[in-house]
Amino acid sequence: MRLRALLDTDALGLRLLGGEDELDRSVRGVMTTDLRDPSRYLSGGELVLTGLAWRRDADDSEPFVRILVQAGVAALAAGEAELGDVPEDLMQACARHRLPLFAVHESVAFATITEHVVRQVSGERAGDLAAVVDRHRRMMTSGPAGGGPDVVLDLLGSDLDLRAWVLSPTGRLIAGSKVAGPDLPPETCAGLAAEHLAAARTGRRGPHRLLLGGSRYSLFPIRSSGRSPQAARDVRETVLSDWLLAVEADAGDWPEERLDLLQGVTQLIAVERDRRDAARTVRRRLAQEVLELVQTGAAPAEIAARLRVAAPVLLPGLGTAPHWQVVVARVDWEGDEVEGGPVAQSLLEEILVDPLATGPEPSDRIAVAHTGDEAIALVPLPAVSTEHDGPETGLLADALLQSVREPLSAGLSEDGRLTLGVSAAVHSAEGLRGALEEARHARRVAAARPGRVCAAGHQELASHVLLLPFVPDDVRRAFTARLLDPLTDYDRRHRAELIPTLEAFLECDGSWTRCATRLHLHVNTLRYRVGRIEQLTGRDLSRLEDKLDFFLALRMS
């Protein structure tokens, strides 16, 4: 379709602000974004819709428009809901770069424009995308006419004879068409997710094509609409949370019309993804409130009262939770340009979904907060076995990562690590603080192990952390003196700060880059200090056993 046709549709609420001479440009798609740099999501020819949340001041307009022009977009449409009017600096930037600019009236939803454009540009495709778009609103409703992504996938199967599935980044099956036949085996889902993540990390543009288990698949990324004001500066900020559309076909020889169709389908599914993410906002906030009470040492009665208030949201269908577990996760990237907390939060929400759960959306019972680089989940358990010889119930650290290790290792590539710790179950709010510390200690044990994806449970702490209070005082003093006195004496004489360096090094899980940054040191200075620690104590901080000894000594000192 032509840009000129957009102005002929009153229901779209578009007003032309500039670019009259460019209205014969063709529109090949539509994208909604509030990223400061959305270039990696653009392929050219799009109508870009923005709510202007990326704009902090007048200087932001010029680089944003320049990025759009370099990507070859057809036009820009700016919503008036955020600022009231489209800023003059944005109009001037679009005029300089000959980029057509529209204003979108605040009464018009971006979804309305998206549906219209997708319907128009797909008129020559093989099959009937109009049916998909027409059922878009019904797909998003919660009534009996709804159906989420399955509705779109069913139409792909019935109209275009395409077998398709929606997968999470860990390979969990989110949706599949009824006409697609049996669900994909778990190992196939994991393999497809691993290929998707590996391709995303290398910057390859979708669709990604591969041969797996004798069948050919094409993978289309399903990305959030990007309406968050916080612009993703690095693919690592989103690679572990993006869904994917897997189609059992080779898209290498598809015409542009069919590729456009699948891109439109991913946009519709992305709306459902955004809806689910929005529903998690309340649970995240409640989890954050409970976590703050636990960490600040609030009275158990206050924490219990807060949990009772949050129960209808955190425990739909359960009412009360006899037991709780705490799970702590951390994603570390080389360097400090990527914040790990939000990444770990999204990933932990995904990992904790039980793929065999039935009834309400399983993630409705998962409350994950993040503080700093940690993500912390408060997981309710309907029941936990109290028999010593009975089977252990609740979450097990190794089981959580068993099915997701392959795809996550691909997404973490050579510069990322996921470490996870799981506490024992506690039966009251009074035990949550101890459970949180237990989960954190377990995660540190996991971080001391080799590998990209590691986990540890409370069972593995029984031999040291949980037994520390029962170690005789004279044994504790002898143990800590043997390891730490040489460092304390050296610090006293030379003001070398070896003890703070050792603590920071262990807290950073042996990462030279993060530890040096935390201490505001050059890496070579840090290496000199660690070398001095090893020389004075006769220990090797690259060995797990010695790291644990130092960790215990610092805990007991």
Side-chain angles (χ1 to χ4, degrees), residues 270-314:
V271 176
E272 168 68 6
R273 172 64 192 273
D274 291 343
R275 184 189 67 80
R276 296 190 185 188
D277 284 347
R280 286 181 172 179
T281 302
V282 175
R283 295 192 296 278
R284 285 177 169 180
R285 186 171 64 250
L286 291 174
Q288 195 74 42
E289 292 174 357
V290 174
L291 175 63
E292 289 175 359
L293 291 175
V294 171
Q295 293 192 120
T296 56
E302 185 179 358
I303 299 174
R306 192 72 193 94
L307 285 174
R308 284 194 296 271
V309 172
V313 176
L314 298 182

Side-chain angles (χ1 to χ4, degrees), residues 42-317:
L42 298 170
S43 58
E46 295 93 347
L47 170 66
V48 174
L49 306 174
T50 180
L52 299 176
W54 51 265
R55 181 186 179 275
R56 297 188 180 93
D57 54 48
D59 293 336
D60 291 336
S61 293
E62 173 66 24
F64 180 76
V65 171
R66 188 185 311 117
I67 288 170
L68 298 186
V69 172
Q70 290 173 349
V73 306
L76 174 65
E80 296 179 321
E82 183 75 17
L83 301 179
D85 293 311
V86 177
E88 180 67 25
D89 49 270
L90 181 59
M91 291 191 287
Q92 293 176 359
C94 289
R96 282 193 296 271
H97 292 278
R98 300 181 64 83
L99 179 67
L101 176 63
F102 297 91
V104 182
H105 193 270
E106 62 180 4
S107 63
V108 179
F110 283 177
T112 301
I113 301 175
T114 299
E115 292 178 8
H116 178 83
V117 172
V118 170
R119 183 186 298 115
Q120 295 300 318
V121 301
S122 304
E124 297 179 358
R125 74 187 187 282
D128 186 13
L129 179 60
V132 178
V133 179
D134 288 341
R135 295 179 67 175
H136 175 209
R137 286 192 174 89
R138 286 203 298 157
M139 179 186 75
M140 300 307 158
T141 65
S142 58
D150 304 271
V151 173
V152 180
L153 301 184
D154 284 343
L155 288 171
L156 284 178
S158 61
D159 293 358
L160 301 183
D161 196 25
L162 289 177
R163 289 160 44 90
W165 302 265
V166 177
L167 305 177
S168 78
T170 63
R172 180 172 59 90
L173 184 65
I174 294 172
S177 66
K178 298 181 180 64
V179 297
D183 288 338
L184 291 174
E187 58 272 17
T188 301
C189 293
L192 294 175
E195 172 63 23
H196 161 69
L197 290 174
R201 286 304 312 274
T202 58
R204 288 158 49 195
R205 189 182 294 273
H208 315 305
R209 299 148 53 208
L210 74 154
L211 178 66
L212 184 65
S215 299
R216 292 197 173 274
Y217 297 91
S218 297
L219 309 179
F220 296 80
I222 300 173
R223 300 186 176 96
S224 171
S225 62
R227 295 183 182 181
S228 171
Q230 290 77 28
R233 299 164 298 170
D234 193 303
V235 67
R236 293 175 294 181
E237 295 182 11
T238 58
V239 68
L240 296 178
S241 59
D242 285 342
W243 287 359
L244 68 143
L245 174 67
V247 181
E248 191 177 16
D250 188 343
D253 56 355
W254 281 6
E256 286 293 325
E257 291 80 4
R258 179 161 290 203
L259 289 173
D260 287 345
L261 160 64
L262 268 295
Q263 293 295 344
V265 168
T266 63
Q267 291 174 357
L268 296 184
I269 297 174
V271 176
E272 168 68 6
R273 172 64 192 273
D274 291 343
R275 184 189 67 80
R276 296 190 185 188
D277 284 347
R280 286 181 172 179
T281 302
V282 175
R283 295 192 296 278
R284 285 177 169 180
R285 186 171 64 250
L286 291 174
Q288 195 74 42
E289 292 174 357
V290 174
L291 175 63
E292 289 175 359
L293 291 175
V294 171
Q295 293 192 120
T296 56
E302 185 179 358
I303 299 174
R306 192 72 193 94
L307 285 174
R308 284 194 296 271
V309 172
V313 176
L314 298 182
L315 308 171

Side-chain angles (χ1 to χ4, degrees), residues 485-506:
D485 279 2
L487 306 182
T488 303
D489 293 340
Y490 191 90
D491 282 349
R492 187 183 302 113
R493 287 184 284 111
H494 300 281
R495 297 182 180 179
E497 297 187 336
L498 296 185
I499 291 292
T501 299
L502 175 61
E503 292 175 334
F505 188 76
L506 294 177

